[in-house]
Amino acid sequence: DVKVTQSSRYLVKRTGEKVFLECVQDMDHENMFWYRQDPGLGLRLIYFSYDVKMKEKGDIPEGYSVSREKKERFSLILESASTNQTSMYLCASSPHGWISGNTIYFGEGSWLTVV
Amino acid sequence: QQQVKQSPQSLIVQKGGISIINCAYENTAFDYFPWYQQFPGKGPALLIAIRPDVSEKKEGRFTISFNKSAKQFSLHIMDSQPGDSATYFCAASMSSGTASKLTFGTGTRLQVTL
């Protein structure tokens, strides 16, 4: 079974703090993604990575950065957390491929509250 | 702009009834249309998917109907059960130069009552 693990399920951070959300996958997938889920807005793509050290912006990258130093690990960084970044963050991975049709596997999510 | 529009936002169906969720897309380059199911406290998981070269795909009680000319697709859940209560997301993707990624609808919260 594919496993995407998000180490922190619930976090409470203060405005202005630097926040790291960590994600690890165990299926040797090339592609990894960070989505944000908000009620009424669905899932929106923040950043994705198709290889180690490679990254591309998604639809809502402002206020976020990412790091992928190892194939299995993809980190989301909030440089200076703000209250409008309170949300659930979902990490996902998929096998190599730029051709559509690969199943994307999600972690269980990290609930972040910024106060 | 929202490339995949999903309705309704919420749906209540009696046990044994048919649940229908609709989605519409704009970008004709999309060539893969999955549905994801999400239970509370869990991440979304692939439920069923279709490509635009077929008009219907059925897996057990779940059926996707696809209308390429109208750029619409829908999920039908036959004989809905309380265990089907979850949030459902339609999505679309296209082949890309780097990684194929999903664009999601806004989600439908389904409640199946006894």
Side-chain angles (χ1 to χ4, degrees):
Chain A
D1 268 359
V2 175
K3 195 156 176 101
V4 179
T5 302
Q6 297 181 232
S7 53
S8 301
R9 293 297 311 275
Y10 302 95
L11 306 93
V12 179
K13 298 291 181 181
R14 293 194 182 277
T15 300
E17 273 194 78
K18 190 168 186 176
V19 181
F20 292 86
L21 299 180
E22 307 286 346
C23 174
V24 176
Q25 51 97 359
D26 66 357
M27 281 301 293
D28 201 35
H29 285 168
E30 279 76 9
N31 300 331
M32 296 190 74
F33 309 85
W34 276 105
Y35 283 88
R36 171 177 171 162
Q37 182 174 1
D38 299 288
L41 296 177
L43 283 73
R44 294 178 292 166
L45 182 64
I46 304 171
Y47 267 96
F48 67 98
S49 168
Y50 52 92
D51 203 348
V52 175
K53 297 191 186 294
M54 305 304 289
K55 61 185 179 184
E56 280 195 22
K57 294 179 180 179
D59 300 317
I60 53 164
E62 296 79 19
Y64 304 94
S65 62
V66 291
S67 172
R68 193 163 179 206
E69 297 296 319
K70 293 185 177 182
K71 189 176 185 179
E72 68 271 18
R73 189 178 297 270
F74 192 35
S75 302
L76 180 69
I77 303 157
L78 287 68
E79 294 289 343
S80 177
S82 63
T83 55
N84 62 13
Q85 293 179 309
T86 292
S87 185
M88 181 161 91
Y89 292 88
L90 286 161
C91 176
S93 72
S94 72
H96 170 72
W98 54 269
I99 296 176
S100 65
N102 284 316
T103 298
I104 291 181
Y105 299 88
F106 284 87
E108 295 198 324
S110 297
W111 286 95
L112 172 66
T113 300
V114 182
V115 297
Chain B
Q1 78 276 16
Q2 190 182 341
Q3 295 196 59
V4 180
K5 295 184 179 179
Q6 182 172 349
S7 63
Q9 190 171 1
S10 63
L11 183 61
I12 300 174
V13 174
Q14 278 197 325
K15 180 182 175 182
I18 302 173
S19 303
I20 301 174
I21 304 170
N22 300 299
C23 284
Y25 64 98
E26 297 170 2
N27 192 337
T28 54
F30 287 140
D31 59 3
Y32 177 68
F33 301 88
W35 285 87
Y36 276 74
Q37 180 188 54
Q38 183 181 31
F39 292 108
K42 301 292 186 182
L46 179 65
L47 180 65
I48 187 173
I50 197 168
R51 288 201 180 272
D53 52 348
V54 297
S55 60
E56 186 175 282
K57 183 173 182 180
K58 185 175 181 179
E59 290 184 2
R61 297 184 293 108
F62 300 91
T63 299
I64 301 178
S65 297
F66 190 87
N67 185 330
K68 188 174 181 179
S69 61
K71 294 189 284 186
Q72 295 175 347
F73 58 110
S74 59
L75 176 70
H76 292 65
I77 306 174
M78 312 300 288
D79 186 28
S80 298
Q81 299 296 312
D84 296 331
S85 297
T87 300
Y88 293 81
F89 293 96
C90 62
S93 71
M94 69 181 86
S95 301
S96 165
T98 51
S100 179
K101 49 198 182 293
L102 290 173
T103 298
F104 285 88
T106 51
T108 296
R109 190 167 185 175
L110 171 65
Q111 183 182 352
V112 181
T113 60
L114 293 170

